[in-house]
Amino acid sequence: MTLNNEKIELITDCTIDRKDGNIEFAEMKNSRFCAVVSECDFSGSEFHRTNLSGDYFESSDMSGAYFEEVNLSGAGFERSNISGAAFTDVNLRGAAFEGCDLSGVEITDCKLDGMTVNGYDSSELIEFYKNNHKDNGNMKKNARKAIIAGNWKMNKTRPEAKALLEELKPLVADVKSVEIVACVPFTNLETALSVTAGTNIKIGAENCHFEKSGAFTGEISADMLAEMGVEYVVLGHSERRQYFNETDETVNKRTKAALAAGLKPIVCVGELLWERECNITEEVIARQIKLDFFAISADDVKKCVIAYEPVWAIGTGKTATAEQAEEVCAFIRAQLAKLYSEDVAEAVTIQYGGSMNAKNAEELVSKTNVDGGLIGGASLKAEDFTVIIKAAENG
Ligand code: PEP
């Protein structure tokens, strides 16, 4: 059914037959729809650029309908099922909803002034919506445990490692809701494992090779780490990519090897400064996620942590703004949803890393899609690292 430039005065008791699966109101550009609609079924229908201003919908089913660039100013909705409908760029000024099911409705970029729901005006509703929306995001966030991981890089001798962890232990002993990890140089692993035994601090390595064993002088295998009791391993850190020719292919192989050994990989992704300046951050990240997790199952990807580390922010003192961090972490989650499923995307811990410190951590980790951080410089000072961990407890 296609309606073009029609003026329809009354639709009543109707069921729109969608057996061809295709009532596309896109054709109704610049059309005037109808004056009164009663007991009609528009569930799942799409309304694009349609003028429905002043129209009245009563006892109708509009569940899951999609409204885009529609004029609904002054429209009235009574006792209708609008659950799960999405309104994008819709003019809802002065529209009134009475006794409708509005559960799960999504409202994006709409004009809402003067709109009422059961007599409540839009300013109250906007507040309610914002809080509700945040709650939804936060509920999902709360289901994931934040992970604050220190990346010590090439720092600390064994006595220094011992002293740092001894200082950290009592400061974070009461922390339960955040997973605390110290990723340390290979030479410090044994010391770190024995100093933290029986505490809430987990130990990680900073890399591993993808082969199980063999003629790879200077390398360490995932099995060697797992056998020691190491739980985490940082993979694809930008310093490894930059100085040691790591590629997405080797990161993918290392991730598979780490998972096979029972380690939890912290896989780092992030764009270079010029890539951000060229506006290709999303392309770069999408490519890295696709390649780094190539042929890794949904169950395995859930065991991984992803660290979004914009390369320009690592060790430079330049932090991404909390909004930039949230934007890319949310984008990573959306990529996981595309490649795997919504459930997988919501289960994976996504950290931000890049000059996170005691001052900026609170704002960064408060973001809905930022589940903690990978911290370089600030993890070398027990007090600063503790402040970041405590910020994540509240985040
Ligand atoms: C890192 O090494 O992963 C890192 C984020 O470093 P820094 O916090 O020093 O920028």
Side-chain angles (χ1 to χ4, degrees), residues 248-318:
D248 287 312
E249 189 186 0
T250 58
V251 174
N252 176 249
K253 284 179 167 182
R254 287 172 209 267
T255 305
K256 287 175 179 158
L259 286 163
L263 297 172
K264 295 171 191 155
I266 301 176
V267 180
C268 304
V269 296
E271 80 286 2
L272 303 171
L273 182 58
W274 72 269
E275 290 169 333
R276 178 164 277 268
E277 286 170 351
C278 292
N279 258 329
I280 59 163
T281 299
E282 291 194 348
E283 280 99 314
V284 172
I285 301 290
R287 184 187 153 86
Q288 289 174 336
I289 295 290
K290 205 165 185 178
L291 297 180
D292 295 353
F293 293 98
F294 175 72
I296 292 178
S297 71
D299 279 349
D300 274 347
V301 82
K302 285 192 205 168
K303 296 173 194 153
C304 297
V305 176
I306 298 176
Y308 166 54
E309 298 212 306
V311 179
W312 47 272
I314 299 174
T316 58
K318 278 189 204 157

Side-chain angles (χ1 to χ4, degrees), residues 21 41 220 231 241 311 315 336 382:
D41 178 4
I220 302 283
E231 271 190 52
R241 293 179 191 254
V311 179
L336 294 174

Side-chain angles (χ1 to χ4, degrees), residues 111-315:
K111 297 184 180 81
L112 300 176
D113 33 308
M115 184 185 95
T116 61
V117 175
N118 299 335
Y120 293 99
D121 76 35
S122 57
S123 56
E124 291 166 294
L125 289 164
I126 290 167
E127 222 22 62
F128 174 79
Y129 176 74
K130 269 197 213 149
N131 291 338
N132 240 18
H133 199 69
K134 191 161 180 260
D135 277 347
N136 278 343
N138 279 351
M139 260 165 59
K140 290 176 181 164
K141 179 174 166 124
N142 289 343
R144 298 183 290 270
K145 192 169 186 184
I147 302 179
I148 296 291
N151 173 23
W152 288 11
K153 313 195 190 203
M154 196 173 71
N155 290 296
K156 305 286 176 194
T157 60
R158 281 183 304 162
E160 288 167 349
K162 184 171 186 301
L164 175 53
L165 290 168
E166 292 288 14
E167 192 184 345
L168 183 65
K169 272 196 302 189
L171 296 176
V172 299
D174 59 342
V175 173
K176 291 195 178 66
S177 60
V178 174
E179 178 101 325
I180 304 167
V181 185
C183 299
V184 306
F186 294 130
T187 49
N188 289 338
L189 284 172
E190 191 135 37
T191 305
L193 285 164
S194 84
V195 173
T196 58
T199 73
N200 56 347
I201 303 172
K202 307 285 168 59
I203 298 303
E206 297 178 15
N207 197 14
C208 72
H209 197 261
F210 45 80
E211 294 294 346
K212 278 183 101 54
S213 61
F216 301 99
T217 304
E219 292 294 318
I220 302 283
S221 77
D223 286 343
M224 291 172 182
L225 298 174
E227 183 277 328
M228 294 180 78
V230 169
E231 271 190 52
Y232 287 85
V233 61
V234 178
L235 296 173
H237 191 279
S238 68
E239 287 151 16
R240 303 278 336 155
R241 293 179 191 254
Q242 207 174 340
Y243 306 129
F244 303 99
N245 302 323
E246 291 267 342
T247 62
D248 287 312
E249 189 186 0
T250 58
V251 174
N252 176 249
K253 284 179 167 182
R254 287 172 209 267
T255 305
K256 287 175 179 158
L259 286 163
L263 297 172
K264 295 171 191 155
I266 301 176
V267 180
C268 304
V269 296
E271 80 286 2
L272 303 171
L273 182 58
W274 72 269
E275 290 169 333
R276 178 164 277 268
E277 286 170 351
C278 292
N279 258 329
I280 59 163
T281 299
E282 291 194 348
E283 280 99 314
V284 172
I285 301 290
R287 184 187 153 86
Q288 289 174 336
I289 295 290
K290 205 165 185 178
L291 297 180
D292 295 353
F293 293 98
F294 175 72
I296 292 178
S297 71
D299 279 349
D300 274 347
V301 82
K302 285 192 205 168
K303 296 173 194 153
C304 297
V305 176
I306 298 176
Y308 166 54
E309 298 212 306
V311 179
W312 47 272
I314 299 174

Side-chain angles (χ1 to χ4, degrees), residues 10 67 71 81 208 256 298 324 326 329:
L10 178 67
F67 298 84
N71 183 1
N81 180 4
C208 72
K256 287 175 179 158
Q324 286 170 325
E326 167 65 11
C329 289

